[in-house]
Amino acid sequence: MPPDDPALVERDADLAALVAALARPPALVVVEGEPGAGKTRLVREALADRALAGRQRLAGHAGPAPASCPLAPVIEALAAARPPPAGRLGALTGVLRPLLPDLAAALPPEPPPLEDPQLARHRLVRAVAELLAGLGPALLVLDDLRRADEGTVELLRMIEARPPPELSVVITCRSAAELPVPGLGPGAVRVRPSPLSPAGAGRLAGSVLGEPGTAVPRALAVLLHERSGGVPSVVCEDAELLRRRGLLRPVDGEWTLASAEPAALGSPALETHAPDALAVVPPAAGAEIVERARGLGAVGVAALEAAAVLAGAAEPELVARVAGMDAERACAALGDAARRGLLRDHGPDAATVRFRHELARLAVYQAIPGYRRRRLHAVAARELLRTRRGALAVPAAEHHKRAGDVRAWVESAEAVAELAAADGAFEAAHACLREVLQSDAVAADRRAGLAVKLGWAAAGGVDRSGTTASLLGAVRERGSGSAAQRAELLLLHAWSSVESAVPRRETESVVAGLRAALGDFTGRPDLRAIALAVLALPDRPPGRDLPARTADLSEARAALAETADPMAHAVVQITTARLLLTLGSPAAGHAIAALPARGDRPEVNRQLIRGLLDLAEAAVHLGQHARGLELAERGRRLAAEVRSRTYERSLLAVTLRARWTTGDLGAEEQAGLADGEPPVRGTLHPPYHLHPRLLAARIAAGQGRLDAARRTFRAVAEDACRDGELALAADAAAEFNRVALTGAHRRDGHELAVQVLNELARGRLWIWAAPLLPFAPVDLVRAVLPRYRGALAGRDAPLARAALGFAEARAHERHGDPGRAAAGYRRARHWYAALPDPRMAAHAGAAEVRAQIAAGQAPDAEVLRQAWSTFTGLGAVWDANRLKQLMRAAGLPVPHRRGRPGYGNELSPREREVVGLAASGHTNRDIAADLCLSDRTVKFHLANAMRKLEVSSRRQLRDVLEDAPRDGARRDEVRRDDVRRDHVCRCASCGRRLNPS
């Protein structure tokens, strides 16, 4: 195998099936798959297997050959054959002397020629079959047999009818249906490698990129899979091309896609037209796709070009209209393209035409001549607008732009945005309007109207770059539009600024302007109510304290009496529930119950789903985990009813956080599902993109990967402070302080805690400081305790109450009163356990025992054992290990092994998983990715398993698993005694037994 070959990924089952079939001659094996599926590589790996040692390997390629060269691939293969033993060949094989000069000495004399060409060919075929039978144990590989000549076809029929007893034949082809041997296969074994999964594509790309220690993140793996369809050779070529173009770069131990303008990661961009930066097609893959497309004929190419231009909106009827043909001909052409592997075969009920992968679409698209491509875009825009079907019509504006018709682009953008918004596709409407307003193609008298529509499309979304707010502010400054439009723009500008990452001073200015301009909404009570609700948001508008927000909310509720607008009622009701819940008011439950189950307009449902999401997060911050889970589930049900997926990941992120906090181990396994693509500049995306990062860092800290965890904690805390997500910032800052071990770390933790506490003090949101109190520096905690204690009076905030008990106990401990501290920690432990928050209960229990020892009291051993059990049971190995010194001080036996109780000399379930993957050729890094473990944990399990099995290398480990008893037991369920009894060492090169019994 060449040294630069990439890793063989997700081919273990196919390789095992191929080797097993070839190891039992006579055998005929057909390896089928599309170009680039790895057929040749799979065969090469199989031929190198030790189970096939001692056999001749003969390989020939069935490329185009002139008619005068029959049996060309077989003759090519036989040219490398060893001379057969004397006496095994008959006189007929002498006809091969001119064709195989290297074997001439072992062949009989050449018989006289035959005049009939057909008889001569038949004699040649019989001679080759006889030679193959006389070679002894042999493996014949015929690559790409779809172009085989008639002599090769006749030979295969002869071999299938009378197979040589020691010959195994491997045929590779695109599809068994393409084989030029009708009927071949009743006795043949078929092996068809499946496309790689996204995870497999990521592992393969990592091996190709070749930077040890640099991982391929999940989002990038999904993108590479979407572009390549999981075809291994395309994955390799694509990853290499992106790296050469400078689009893939190693950053902080991960491969990062450098392109972020206008889109980078995620399939939504691929559903329409990939950005220019990513519209690169690997040359070999592109040429192969174009060659296959040309084989469809003029009609097929026309249909395929129309589908490539339409991209994600390619319904069969639309493809036919854009291609200018009737539906029947278009469907027949598309069916032919699917059979050739250019399109996905979705069956007879397919709603849209999809290319095999995105690079296939790009290859066809880029092969269209420029003039014809512009015409197709113009036709596509017209046909999409004719459908009047919301999201389906969204790409029409982009098609006008690509057709070079700027006027039609501007005019269609507004129509498209209206259709999309009516269909609930607000992100698409926002993108359309944003792009048009950013250009200079819009007349001054139309900018205000388009800006108002942009603002309403953005309401409820998050634009981290602040692009939307900047556009709305720029239109306002120009003073265009009527007085009513300017007032509406002011409201939308303030709302967008509050929801986006706009600098504090700018946000404070626009919020103050909105407060001063409330009188301009006298004739629009609906807008006045919404404006007051925006001013009353509990966490977003900076520089306003809770009393001011409460007063604004009272005015907003009063304004509702003058309007029946459902949007205004929904916004005010949601803000009321959010503010009450954020304050921990007992009245929050009634406000939540009063929210409507569903609105009658898409924008109302959007606000309701976003509101339920915000309420779920607020409940989790308060420690009301059951309520948080119920609100998130309510949001998911509503989203499913109205078919909205905008907040799907955000709702999952809040749900997983609540489940993880309460000790649900399944939340860790699902943590990657909530990790979406990073925010893309200028686009709307759901909130709470920081939650998955915080959860991942908590998991990493529990596993002992502290450097990575600290980096993420700090980044999340700073980003959350900047974005106004102060409760999340308090969580991240607290976790950073918890794992701050050195003086430098503690100084950084102190700065983070001060930054967050200052923000909370400015808004009088002390109730959100709860996560900080157990871990922030004690001097800071003592300084804020009086105000924090006063803020909790009459509040329904169980987490804040538990944190207050923990903080007061810390203060007693610092003052030299460990007895009172122990009692305080005990109360905090009970409160945390009641939430439930088992991890924090374990931390409080450990602090309680520490204070008992300091006070000279008998330590509560059961509390310490329970803390150890909690940490180890939840996978927090680092936290558990930190208890060892305290356990020694308490006179308790210290467990000698990390993790759950041992299994003696038998393998644990996790060790069996690790051993099984290691023996099948997976690296530690692959195993860690498959099992969601750290590399260090994999090494730990593998070392334990090797010690138990008394082996010292992976090769011995593979031998152990292969030679272990097969009587009903799984291969990985191995005991040391079984191995010692049945293990037989084998030579690595030939497989011969070295210690046969």
CSV table of all heavy atoms in Angstrom, one decimal, residues 664-712:
chain,number,residue,atom,x,y,z
A,664,ASP,N,-28.8,13.6,34.4
A,664,ASP,CA,-29.2,12.6,33.4
A,664,ASP,C,-28.0,12.4,32.5
A,664,ASP,O,-27.5,13.3,31.7
A,664,ASP,CB,-30.3,13.2,32.6
A,664,ASP,CG,-30.9,12.3,31.5
A,664,ASP,OD1,-30.2,11.2,31.3
A,664,ASP,OD2,-31.9,12.6,30.9
A,665,LEU,N,-27.4,11.2,32.5
A,665,LEU,CA,-26.2,10.9,31.7
A,665,LEU,C,-26.5,10.9,30.2
A,665,LEU,O,-25.6,11.1,29.4
A,665,LEU,CB,-25.7,9.5,32.1
A,665,LEU,CG,-24.9,9.4,33.4
A,665,LEU,CD1,-24.5,8.0,33.8
A,665,LEU,CD2,-23.7,10.3,33.4
A,666,GLY,N,-27.7,10.6,29.9
A,666,GLY,CA,-28.1,10.7,28.4
A,666,GLY,C,-27.9,12.0,27.8
A,666,GLY,O,-27.7,12.2,26.6
A,667,ALA,N,-27.9,13.1,28.6
A,667,ALA,CA,-27.7,14.4,28.1
A,667,ALA,C,-26.3,14.6,27.5
A,667,ALA,O,-26.1,15.3,26.5
A,667,ALA,CB,-28.0,15.5,29.2
A,668,GLU,N,-25.3,14.0,28.2
A,668,GLU,CA,-23.9,14.1,27.7
A,668,GLU,C,-23.8,13.4,26.3
A,668,GLU,O,-23.2,13.9,25.4
A,668,GLU,CB,-23.0,13.4,28.6
A,668,GLU,CG,-22.7,14.3,29.9
A,668,GLU,CD,-21.4,13.8,30.6
A,668,GLU,OE1,-20.7,13.0,30.1
A,668,GLU,OE2,-21.2,14.3,31.7
A,669,GLU,N,-24.5,12.3,26.1
A,669,GLU,CA,-24.4,11.6,24.9
A,669,GLU,C,-25.1,12.4,23.7
A,669,GLU,O,-24.7,12.2,22.6
A,669,GLU,CB,-25.1,10.2,25.0
A,669,GLU,CG,-24.4,9.3,26.0
A,669,GLU,CD,-25.2,8.0,26.2
A,669,GLU,OE1,-26.2,7.8,25.6
A,669,GLU,OE2,-24.7,7.2,27.1
A,670,GLN,N,-26.1,13.2,24.1
A,670,GLN,CA,-26.8,14.0,23.0
A,670,GLN,C,-26.2,15.4,22.9
A,670,GLN,O,-26.7,16.2,22.1
A,670,GLN,CB,-28.3,14.1,23.4
A,670,GLN,CG,-29.0,12.7,23.3
A,670,GLN,CD,-30.5,12.9,23.6
A,670,GLN,OE1,-30.9,12.9,24.8
A,670,GLN,NE2,-31.3,13.1,22.6
A,671,ALA,N,-25.2,15.7,23.7
A,671,ALA,CA,-24.7,17.1,23.7
A,671,ALA,C,-24.4,17.6,22.3
A,671,ALA,O,-24.6,18.7,21.9
A,671,ALA,CB,-23.5,17.3,24.6
A,672,GLY,N,-23.8,16.7,21.5
A,672,GLY,CA,-23.3,17.1,20.1
A,672,GLY,C,-24.5,17.5,19.2
A,672,GLY,O,-24.3,18.2,18.3
A,673,LEU,N,-25.7,17.0,19.5
A,673,LEU,CA,-26.9,17.3,18.7
A,673,LEU,C,-27.3,18.7,18.7
A,673,LEU,O,-27.8,19.3,17.7
A,673,LEU,CB,-28.1,16.4,19.1
A,673,LEU,CG,-27.9,14.9,19.0
A,673,LEU,CD1,-29.1,14.2,19.5
A,673,LEU,CD2,-27.6,14.5,17.6
A,674,ALA,N,-27.0,19.4,19.8
A,674,ALA,CA,-27.4,20.8,20.0
A,674,ALA,C,-26.3,21.8,19.5
A,674,ALA,O,-26.5,23.0,19.4
A,674,ALA,CB,-27.7,21.1,21.4
A,675,ASP,N,-25.2,21.2,19.1
A,675,ASP,CA,-24.1,22.0,18.6
A,675,ASP,C,-24.3,22.4,17.2
A,675,ASP,O,-24.0,21.6,16.3
A,675,ASP,CB,-22.8,21.3,18.9
A,675,ASP,CG,-21.6,22.2,18.6
A,675,ASP,OD1,-21.8,23.4,18.5
A,675,ASP,OD2,-20.4,21.7,18.5
A,676,GLY,N,-24.8,23.6,16.9
A,676,GLY,CA,-25.0,23.9,15.5
A,676,GLY,C,-23.8,24.6,14.9
A,676,GLY,O,-22.7,24.7,15.5
A,677,GLU,N,-24.1,25.2,13.7
A,677,GLU,CA,-23.0,25.9,13.0
A,677,GLU,C,-22.7,27.2,13.7
A,677,GLU,O,-23.6,27.8,14.3
A,677,GLU,CB,-23.4,26.1,11.5
A,677,GLU,CG,-23.4,24.8,10.7
A,677,GLU,CD,-24.6,24.0,11.0
A,677,GLU,OE1,-25.7,24.5,11.4
A,677,GLU,OE2,-24.5,22.7,10.9
A,678,PRO,N,-21.5,27.7,13.6
A,678,PRO,CA,-21.2,29.0,14.2
A,678,PRO,C,-22.0,30.1,13.5
A,678,PRO,O,-22.4,30.0,12.3
A,678,PRO,CB,-19.7,29.2,14.0
A,678,PRO,CG,-19.4,28.2,12.9
A,678,PRO,CD,-20.3,27.1,13.0
A,679,PRO,N,-22.3,31.2,14.2
A,679,PRO,CA,-23.1,32.3,13.6
A,679,PRO,C,-22.4,32.8,12.3
A,679,PRO,O,-21.2,33.0,12.3
A,679,PRO,CB,-23.1,33.3,14.7
A,679,PRO,CG,-22.9,32.6,15.9
A,679,PRO,CD,-22.0,31.5,15.6
A,680,VAL,N,-23.2,33.1,11.3
A,680,VAL,CA,-22.6,33.6,10.0
A,680,VAL,C,-23.0,35.1,10.0
A,680,VAL,O,-24.1,35.5,10.3
A,680,VAL,CB,-23.3,32.9,8.8
A,680,VAL,CG1,-22.8,33.5,7.5
A,680,VAL,CG2,-22.9,31.4,8.9
A,681,ARG,N,-22.0,35.9,9.6
A,681,ARG,CA,-22.1,37.3,9.6
A,681,ARG,C,-23.3,37.8,8.8
A,681,ARG,O,-23.4,37.4,7.6
A,681,ARG,CB,-20.8,38.0,9.1
A,681,ARG,CG,-20.9,39.5,9.1
A,681,ARG,CD,-19.5,40.1,8.7
A,681,ARG,NE,-19.6,41.5,8.6
A,681,ARG,CZ,-19.6,42.4,9.6
A,681,ARG,NH1,-19.5,41.9,10.9
A,681,ARG,NH2,-19.7,43.7,9.5
A,682,GLY,N,-24.1,38.7,9.4
A,682,GLY,CA,-25.2,39.3,8.7
A,682,GLY,C,-26.4,38.5,8.6
A,682,GLY,O,-27.4,38.9,8.0
A,683,THR,N,-26.5,37.3,9.1
A,683,THR,CA,-27.6,36.4,9.0
A,683,THR,C,-28.3,36.3,10.4
A,683,THR,O,-27.7,36.4,11.4
A,683,THR,CB,-27.3,35.0,8.5
A,683,THR,OG1,-26.4,34.4,9.5
A,683,THR,CG2,-26.6,35.1,7.2
A,684,LEU,N,-29.6,36.0,10.3
A,684,LEU,CA,-30.3,35.7,11.5
A,684,LEU,C,-30.1,34.2,11.9
A,684,LEU,O,-30.0,33.4,11.1
A,684,LEU,CB,-31.8,35.9,11.3
A,684,LEU,CG,-32.3,37.3,11.1
A,684,LEU,CD1,-33.8,37.3,10.9
A,684,LEU,CD2,-31.9,38.2,12.3
A,685,HIS,N,-30.0,34.0,13.2
A,685,HIS,CA,-29.9,32.6,13.7
A,685,HIS,C,-30.5,32.6,15.1
A,685,HIS,O,-30.7,33.6,15.8
A,685,HIS,CB,-28.5,32.1,13.7
A,685,HIS,CG,-27.6,32.9,14.7
A,685,HIS,ND1,-27.4,32.5,16.0
A,685,HIS,CD2,-26.9,34.0,14.5
A,685,HIS,CE1,-26.6,33.4,16.6
A,685,HIS,NE2,-26.3,34.3,15.7
A,686,PRO,N,-30.9,31.4,15.5
A,686,PRO,CA,-31.6,31.3,16.8
A,686,PRO,C,-30.6,31.6,17.9
A,686,PRO,O,-29.4,31.6,17.8
A,686,PRO,CB,-31.9,29.8,16.9
A,686,PRO,CG,-31.9,29.3,15.5
A,686,PRO,CD,-30.9,30.1,14.8
A,687,PRO,N,-31.1,32.1,19.1
A,687,PRO,CA,-30.3,32.4,20.2
A,687,PRO,C,-29.7,31.1,20.9
A,687,PRO,O,-30.0,30.0,20.5
A,687,PRO,CB,-31.3,33.1,21.2
A,687,PRO,CG,-32.6,32.6,20.8
A,687,PRO,CD,-32.6,32.3,19.4
A,688,TYR,N,-29.0,31.3,22.0
A,688,TYR,CA,-28.5,30.3,22.8
A,688,TYR,C,-27.5,29.4,22.1
A,688,TYR,O,-27.4,28.2,22.3
A,688,TYR,CB,-29.6,29.4,23.4
A,688,TYR,CG,-30.6,30.2,24.1
A,688,TYR,CD1,-32.0,30.1,23.8
A,688,TYR,CD2,-30.3,31.2,25.0
A,688,TYR,CE1,-32.9,30.9,24.4
A,688,TYR,CE2,-31.2,31.9,25.6
A,688,TYR,CZ,-32.5,31.8,25.3
A,688,TYR,OH,-33.4,32.6,26.0
A,689,HIS,N,-26.7,30.0,21.1
A,689,HIS,CA,-25.6,29.2,20.5
A,689,HIS,C,-24.5,28.9,21.4
A,689,HIS,O,-23.6,28.1,21.2
A,689,HIS,CB,-25.1,30.0,19.3
A,689,HIS,CG,-24.4,31.2,19.6
A,689,HIS,ND1,-25.0,32.4,20.0
A,689,HIS,CD2,-23.0,31.5,19.5
A,689,HIS,CE1,-24.1,33.3,20.3
A,689,HIS,NE2,-22.9,32.8,20.0
A,690,LEU,N,-24.5,29.7,22.6
A,690,LEU,CA,-23.4,29.5,23.6
A,690,LEU,C,-23.6,28.3,24.5
A,690,LEU,O,-22.7,27.8,25.1
A,690,LEU,CB,-23.2,30.7,24.4
A,690,LEU,CG,-22.7,32.0,23.6
A,690,LEU,CD1,-22.7,33.2,24.6
A,690,LEU,CD2,-21.4,31.8,23.0
A,691,HIS,N,-24.9,27.9,24.6
A,691,HIS,CA,-25.2,26.8,25.6
A,691,HIS,C,-24.5,25.5,25.3
A,691,HIS,O,-23.9,24.9,26.2
A,691,HIS,CB,-26.7,26.6,25.6
A,691,HIS,CG,-27.5,27.6,26.4
A,691,HIS,ND1,-27.5,28.9,26.0
A,691,HIS,CD2,-28.2,27.5,27.5
A,691,HIS,CE1,-28.2,29.6,26.9
A,691,HIS,NE2,-28.7,28.8,27.8
A,692,PRO,N,-24.5,25.0,24.0
A,692,PRO,CA,-23.7,23.8,23.7
A,692,PRO,C,-22.3,23.9,24.0
A,692,PRO,O,-21.6,22.9,24.5
A,692,PRO,CB,-24.0,23.5,22.2
A,692,PRO,CG,-25.2,24.3,21.9
A,692,PRO,CD,-25.2,25.5,22.8
A,693,ARG,N,-21.7,25.0,23.8
A,693,ARG,CA,-20.2,25.2,24.1
A,693,ARG,C,-20.0,25.1,25.6
A,693,ARG,O,-19.0,24.5,26.0
A,693,ARG,CB,-19.8,26.5,23.6
A,693,ARG,CG,-19.7,26.6,22.0
A,693,ARG,CD,-19.4,28.0,21.6
A,693,ARG,NE,-18.2,28.5,22.1
A,693,ARG,CZ,-17.8,29.8,22.0
A,693,ARG,NH1,-18.6,30.7,21.5
A,693,ARG,NH2,-16.6,30.2,22.5
A,694,LEU,N,-20.9,25.7,26.4
A,694,LEU,CA,-20.7,25.7,27.8
A,694,LEU,C,-20.9,24.2,28.3
A,694,LEU,O,-20.1,23.8,29.2
A,694,LEU,CB,-21.8,26.6,28.5
A,694,LEU,CG,-21.7,26.6,30.0
A,694,LEU,CD1,-20.4,27.0,30.6
A,694,LEU,CD2,-22.8,27.5,30.6
A,695,LEU,N,-21.9,23.5,27.8
A,695,LEU,CA,-22.1,22.1,28.2
A,695,LEU,C,-20.9,21.3,27.8
A,695,LEU,O,-20.4,20.4,28.6
A,695,LEU,CB,-23.3,21.6,27.6
A,695,LEU,CG,-23.7,20.1,28.0
A,695,LEU,CD1,-23.8,19.9,29.5
A,695,LEU,CD2,-25.0,19.7,27.3
A,696,ALA,N,-20.3,21.5,26.6
A,696,ALA,CA,-19.2,20.7,26.2
A,696,ALA,C,-18.0,21.0,27.1
A,696,ALA,O,-17.2,20.1,27.4
A,696,ALA,CB,-18.8,21.0,24.8
A,697,ALA,N,-17.8,22.2,27.5
A,697,ALA,CA,-16.7,22.6,28.4
A,697,ALA,C,-16.9,21.9,29.8
A,697,ALA,O,-15.9,21.5,30.4
A,697,ALA,CB,-16.6,24.1,28.5
A,698,ARG,N,-18.1,21.9,30.3
A,698,ARG,CA,-18.3,21.2,31.6
A,698,ARG,C,-18.0,19.7,31.5
A,698,ARG,O,-17.4,19.2,32.4
A,698,ARG,CB,-19.8,21.4,32.0
A,698,ARG,CG,-20.1,22.8,32.5
A,698,ARG,CD,-21.6,23.0,32.7
A,698,ARG,NE,-21.9,24.0,33.7
A,698,ARG,CZ,-23.1,24.6,33.9
A,698,ARG,NH1,-24.1,24.2,33.2
A,698,ARG,NH2,-23.2,25.5,34.9
A,699,ILE,N,-18.4,19.1,30.4
A,699,ILE,CA,-18.1,17.7,30.3
A,699,ILE,C,-16.5,17.5,30.2
A,699,ILE,O,-16.0,16.6,30.8
A,699,ILE,CB,-18.7,17.1,29.0
A,699,ILE,CG1,-20.3,17.2,29.1
A,699,ILE,CG2,-18.3,15.7,28.7
A,699,ILE,CD1,-21.0,16.9,27.9
A,700,ALA,N,-15.9,18.4,29.5
A,700,ALA,CA,-14.4,18.3,29.3
A,700,ALA,C,-13.7,18.5,30.7
A,700,ALA,O,-12.8,17.8,31.0
A,700,ALA,CB,-13.9,19.3,28.4
A,701,ALA,N,-14.2,19.4,31.5
A,701,ALA,CA,-13.7,19.7,32.8
A,701,ALA,C,-13.8,18.4,33.7
A,701,ALA,O,-12.9,18.0,34.4
A,701,ALA,CB,-14.3,20.9,33.5
A,702,GLY,N,-15.0,17.8,33.7
A,702,GLY,CA,-15.2,16.6,34.5
A,702,GLY,C,-14.3,15.5,34.1
A,702,GLY,O,-13.9,14.7,34.9
A,703,GLN,N,-13.9,15.4,32.8
A,703,GLN,CA,-13.0,14.4,32.3
A,703,GLN,C,-11.5,14.7,32.5
A,703,GLN,O,-10.7,13.9,32.2
A,703,GLN,CB,-13.3,14.1,30.8
A,703,GLN,CG,-14.6,13.5,30.5
A,703,GLN,CD,-14.9,13.5,29.0
A,703,GLN,OE1,-14.2,14.0,28.2
A,703,GLN,NE2,-16.0,12.8,28.7
A,704,GLY,N,-11.3,16.0,33.0
A,704,GLY,CA,-9.9,16.3,33.3
A,704,GLY,C,-9.2,17.1,32.2
A,704,GLY,O,-8.0,17.4,32.3
A,705,ARG,N,-9.9,17.4,31.1
A,705,ARG,CA,-9.3,18.2,30.0
A,705,ARG,C,-9.5,19.7,30.4
A,705,ARG,O,-10.3,20.4,29.8
A,705,ARG,CB,-10.0,17.9,28.7
A,705,ARG,CG,-9.7,16.4,28.3
A,705,ARG,CD,-10.3,16.1,26.9
A,705,ARG,NE,-11.7,15.8,27.0
A,705,ARG,CZ,-12.7,16.4,26.3
A,705,ARG,NH1,-12.3,17.4,25.5
A,705,ARG,NH2,-13.9,16.1,26.5
A,706,LEU,N,-8.7,20.2,31.3
A,706,LEU,CA,-8.9,21.5,31.9
A,706,LEU,C,-8.5,22.6,31.0
A,706,LEU,O,-9.1,23.7,31.1
A,706,LEU,CB,-8.1,21.6,33.3
A,706,LEU,CG,-8.5,20.5,34.3
A,706,LEU,CD1,-7.8,20.8,35.6
A,706,LEU,CD2,-10.1,20.5,34.5
A,707,ASP,N,-7.4,22.5,30.3
A,707,ASP,CA,-7.0,23.6,29.4
A,707,ASP,C,-8.0,24.0,28.4
A,707,ASP,O,-8.4,25.1,28.3
A,707,ASP,CB,-5.7,23.2,28.7
A,707,ASP,CG,-4.5,23.2,29.6
A,707,ASP,OD1,-4.6,23.8,30.7
A,707,ASP,OD2,-3.5,22.5,29.3
A,708,ALA,N,-8.6,23.0,27.7
A,708,ALA,CA,-9.6,23.2,26.7
A,708,ALA,C,-10.9,23.8,27.4
A,708,ALA,O,-11.5,24.7,26.9
A,708,ALA,CB,-10.0,22.0,26.0
A,709,ALA,N,-11.2,23.2,28.6
A,709,ALA,CA,-12.4,23.7,29.3
A,709,ALA,C,-12.2,25.2,29.7
A,709,ALA,O,-13.2,26.0,29.6
A,709,ALA,CB,-12.6,22.8,30.6
A,710,ARG,N,-11.0,25.5,30.3
A,710,ARG,CA,-10.9,26.9,30.7
A,710,ARG,C,-11.0,27.9,29.5
A,710,ARG,O,-11.6,29.0,29.6
A,710,ARG,CB,-9.5,27.1,31.4
A,710,ARG,CG,-9.5,26.7,32.8
A,710,ARG,CD,-8.2,27.1,33.5
A,710,ARG,NE,-7.1,26.3,33.1
A,710,ARG,CZ,-6.7,25.2,33.7
A,710,ARG,NH1,-7.2,24.8,34.8
A,710,ARG,NH2,-5.7,24.5,33.2
A,711,ARG,N,-10.4,27.5,28.4
A,711,ARG,CA,-10.5,28.4,27.2
A,711,ARG,C,-11.9,28.6,26.8
A,711,ARG,O,-12.3,29.7,26.5
A,711,ARG,CB,-9.7,27.8,26.0
A,711,ARG,CG,-8.2,27.9,26.1
A,711,ARG,CD,-7.6,27.6,24.7
A,711,ARG,NE,-7.9,26.3,24.2
A,711,ARG,CZ,-7.2,25.2,24.4
A,711,ARG,NH1,-6.1,25.3,25.1
A,711,ARG,NH2,-7.5,24.1,23.9
A,712,THR,N,-12.7,27.5,26.8
A,712,THR,CA,-14.1,27.7,26.4
A,712,THR,C,-14.9,28.5,27.5
A,712,THR,O,-15.8,29.3,27.1
A,712,THR,CB,-14.8,26.3,26.2
A,712,THR,OG1,-14.0,25.6,25.3
A,712,THR,CG2,-16.2,26.4,25.7
